[in-house]
Amino acid sequence: FGSAAAATGLAHAIFRPPLPFADPGTLVEVGGVDLRYPGSGIDYPKSAPDVGDLVGVRALPQVAAYARGGADLTGLGPPRRIRVAAVTADFFSLFRIPVEGRSFEAADEDPGAPPVVLLSAEIAALAPRSPPGSRGPGPVRINGRLHTVVGVAPAGFSFPENADAWVPLPAPLTPETMRYFGRHVPSRVVARLSPNATLASAQAELEPIFGRYRGATAESGDADHVRPLAVGLTEGRRAVALTLLGATALAVLVACANLATILLAQAGL
């Protein structure tokens, strides 16, 4: 029965994961929203709203987006493969994460802006000791391109997906600026509810925005949602947890049946 307790504990951690952010109950995922791509709405019709369409939504005063990828890092000891998150300028302020140095600014999102990067504390610790009077690690190369290190995240912060470094998410994305992701950009749009807003009121305010694009593709509007970020982050793991719970329940039933059989046999002696 120890395995049953362990499985229950694991399922609880998956279904109700603690988010390591300030005021996590106000963090939400906004589904059905795209990143900005060149020509979208100009050269071809948009099939879904993008993050720019959420500007002015009163229930969601802070909106950010991020995408996950990988890159080769050089300039901090031996070359290494790292996990990179490309984020919008509001990412760190939305999650209320203080950084050493500075966070990203809107100008950093321009595809033509000088490349900058923000390192995790663990990666920054690999840098040689800085000369007196200098601020943080010197420039590093990511996929061979020189980046200025503008900040360092606090120790222990590695969201999303154990990120080692963060770069600005260019707006709009171009084939050149998608170099961290190959042909697929696994992105997520997140936001904070305003103090008086609820999931229902945010959904209601977004309905006219989603409605403008429904019917543009064969896809349904099932992805158009506002839900707790904790739920969105665990969606892929829920099926695994349910399978584990089902297997554990079956094992417990078999054990109980075997025990009952043994007890009945002993009673008949």
Side-chain angles (χ1 to χ4, degrees), residues 38 44 50 100 104 135 152 166 174 176 257 262 267:
Y44 57 88
D50 63 35
E100 180 184 348
F104 297 136
R135 297 180 59 184
V152 177
W166 298 261
T174 65
E176 168 62 19
I262 293 173

Side-chain angles (χ1 to χ4, degrees), residues 18-25 27 95-97 157 159 192 229 233:
L19 293 180
F21 309 120
D23 202 6
L27 290 170
F95 286 104
R96 300 175 185 172
I97 302 298
F157 180 75
F159 184 82
R192 271 198 189 272
L229 179 59
L233 293 177

Side-chain angles (χ1 to χ4, degrees), residues 75-96:
L76 292 179
R80 66 183 64 235
R81 187 73 178 170
I82 62 171
R83 293 174 291 269
V84 174
V87 303
T88 55
D90 292 334
F91 176 84
F92 287 95
S93 62
L94 183 142
F95 286 104
R96 300 175 185 172

Side-chain angles (χ1 to χ4, degrees), residues 92 97-104 117-121 124-125 130 134-137 149-155:
F92 287 95
I97 302 298
V99 301
E100 180 184 348
R102 74 165 176 87
S103 186
F104 297 136
V117 63
L118 199 148
L119 300 177
S120 69
S130 302
S134 63
R135 297 180 59 184
V149 179
V150 296
V152 177

Side-chain angles (χ1 to χ4, degrees), residues 150-268:
V150 296
V152 177
F157 180 75
S158 60
F159 184 82
E161 300 290 335
N162 299 316
D164 299 306
W166 298 261
V167 295
L169 183 60
L173 280 171
T174 65
E176 168 62 19
T177 57
M178 289 173 63
R179 60 189 175 278
Y180 304 107
F181 316 106
R183 296 182 179 179
H184 176 57
V185 185
S187 61
R188 191 183 300 270
V189 175
V190 293
R192 271 198 189 272
L193 291 172
S194 63
N196 298 321
T198 63
L199 291 174
S201 67
Q203 184 74 41
E205 192 174 356
L206 288 172
E207 274 303 310
I209 298 175
F210 288 131
R212 291 200 294 266
Y213 300 97
R214 290 193 180 126
T217 67
E219 297 178 4
S220 69
D222 294 342
D224 306 341
H225 61 251
V226 181
R227 63 182 179 183
L229 179 59
V231 174
L233 293 177
T234 58
E235 183 176 43
R237 289 174 280 176
R238 291 184 170 222
V240 176
L242 289 173
T243 301
L244 177 62
L245 284 176
T248 302
L250 179 61
V252 170
L253 288 175
V254 171
C256 289
N258 289 338
L259 179 60
T261 300
I262 293 173
L263 293 175
L264 288 173
Q266 290 178 340

